[in-house]
Amino acid sequence: MIPPPSLASATGRLYFLDVGISTSDLNGRILTCQPDGSDLRELITQIRTMPDGIAVDKANQHIYWTNMGFPSANDGGIQRSDLSGSNIVTIIPKGWTHTPKQLVIPPGSKKLYWSDREGMRIMRANLDGSDIELLYRANPGNTNKQSSLDWCVGIAVDEESNTIFWSQKGPSKSNEGRIFRMGLDLKTGEAPGNRSDVECLLDNLPEPIDLELDHATSTLYWTDRGDPPFGNTVNSVVLADLPVSELQPKILVRKLHEGIGISLDLKNGRMFFGDLGGSLYSSNLDGSCKSTILHDMGGAITGVAYVEL
């Protein structure tokens, strides 16, 4: 039997978001704890703009998070703070992105990459918010912001293979979710809405949400908040050099309550994930030895980030 992951860690910490929908006044929060759930702290409270994606810049000691805002208002943005939760700065102002979701900071380029749900696009910018770029636009002929088939939600970036992965979740519980990949940069003469390098890796998924990638093993992980038996799960697929037709996704963990955030700790062979039911979990990378770190912590967990400090 594979031993359970060691949840005790002298240096690592989890940072995660409560989107705030569990209270009538939208009390979104940024929280942190040890990998075993101890030393739980609220860093920022009273976030009224529905925080969803989180990333930590260890080198500069910053937390970044996306604010979905209110989709009808097109008022999403991205903010940053110190690891203590102080010195909050708006990096991407309201209106420059519609409904930003998962956020990642690749270690090489030190760029912000994020998915924009109702914006139906993939975007990036410098860490200070400058040089905002539109990298991909799903179905550019579609102007209907309610067309969830084109909503971009999760994102993972592999600089070593020059690849971006993202999920388009599809309608709720529809089994029309998809996961795509493309290059990091636009080819000369191409536009975000007509890229020739966009490839659909997986389709007919219940409702794929956040992504994570292990480059060393060419393994892509994701949460899915669709209906059982294939939804409300954590999943993986080994990409390697296999053609798309031969990819074999696996369900690693079942019985989540609207699974959203996910983060890998490759050094210790474990992953962390959360759900809108308000619980935070850990398991081995193969899904074995699932453990509840925090049970119903009084909110709805969205983004999750593990950082070895």
Side-chain angles (χ1 to χ4, degrees):
M1 177 182 292
I2 298 175
S6 174
L7 296 182
S9 173
T11 57
R13 287 196 72 87
L14 287 164
Y15 293 82
F16 58 99
L17 300 173
D18 170 9
V19 68
I21 58 175
S22 298
T23 62
S24 59
D25 58 351
L26 284 180
N27 179 21
R29 298 178 293 165
I30 298 179
L31 304 99
T32 183
C33 67
Q34 295 283 353
D36 63 357
S38 64
D39 192 27
L40 176 64
R41 309 176 202 165
E42 288 186 337
L43 300 178
I44 302 174
T45 63
Q46 303 300 314
I47 303 174
R48 312 290 188 190
T49 46
M50 299 185 70
D52 186 84
I54 187 169
V56 176
D57 177 8
K58 175 181 173 181
N60 294 302
Q61 300 284 285
H62 286 148
I63 304 169
Y64 288 82
W65 69 94
T66 59
N67 292 305
M68 292 187 288
F70 300 91
S72 60
N74 189 9
D75 62 348
I78 298 176
Q79 291 183 292
R80 182 188 77 195
S81 76
D82 296 340
L83 291 184
S84 65
S86 59
N87 299 316
I88 298 174
V89 177
T90 296
I91 302 300
I92 305 295
K94 291 181 179 180
W96 285 88
T97 181
H98 195 299
T99 321
K101 299 289 285 178
Q102 191 178 8
L103 172 75
V104 295
I105 304 174
S109 66
K110 287 297 183 182
K111 289 264 190 178
L112 299 170
Y113 286 80
W114 70 94
S115 289
D116 185 339
R117 191 178 64 190
E118 274 83 354
M120 299 178 281
R121 55 195 173 182
I122 302 297
M123 305 181 72
R124 74 179 170 197
N126 293 329
L127 291 181
D128 63 0
S130 62
D131 194 21
I132 300 172
E133 297 178 80
L134 174 58
L135 300 177
Y136 168 76
R137 173 66 162 82
N139 192 5
N142 177 20
T143 59
N144 178 14
K145 303 299 184 185
Q146 301 305 312
S147 180
S148 53
L149 193 65
D150 296 323
W151 283 357
C152 302
V153 179
I155 189 169
V157 174
D158 184 359
E159 292 180 306
E160 295 182 68
S161 67
N162 200 44
T163 307
I164 300 174
F165 302 86
W166 73 97
S167 62
Q168 290 179 206
K169 76 179 197 67
S172 179
K173 325 299 182 189
S174 68
N175 296 310
E176 294 184 82
R178 294 169 290 170
I179 295 177
F180 296 83
R181 70 179 169 194
M182 66 182 180
L184 284 182
D185 301 296
L186 283 166
K187 294 181 179 179
T188 302
E190 294 190 348
N194 69 346
R195 296 186 58 145
S196 62
D197 60 346
V198 173
E199 182 179 21
C200 181
L201 296 176
L202 298 168
D203 59 8
N204 300 317
L205 302 175
E207 197 176 350
I209 307 296
D210 283 5
L211 306 178
E212 272 278 24
L213 180 75
D214 178 1
H215 171 82
T217 62
S218 296
T219 304
L220 187 68
Y221 297 81
W222 71 94
T223 54
D224 193 302
R225 62 177 295 190
D227 280 338
F230 303 110
N232 272 311
T233 51
V234 177
N235 308 265
S236 73
V237 66
V238 177
L239 301 172
D241 295 321
L242 293 173
V244 170
S245 61
E246 295 182 19
L247 295 180
Q248 298 182 347
K250 296 180 180 180
I251 295 176
L252 305 177
V253 177
R254 298 181 186 269
K255 297 183 179 180
L256 300 184
H257 302 281
E258 303 283 337
I260 305 292
I262 183 169
S263 186
L264 305 182
D265 172 15
L266 297 176
K267 180 179 178 180
N268 294 297
R270 59 186 176 177
M271 58 183 172
F272 302 95
F273 42 96
D275 59 29
L276 293 183
S279 294
L280 187 64
Y281 310 93
S282 176
S283 78
N284 291 320
L285 290 176
D286 64 359
S288 64
C289 300
K290 177 187 172 187
S291 172
T292 302
I293 299 170
L294 296 171
H295 174 69
D296 190 6
M297 42 71 67
I301 296 175
T302 49
V304 177
Y306 171 79
V307 183
E308 186 178 343
L309 301 176

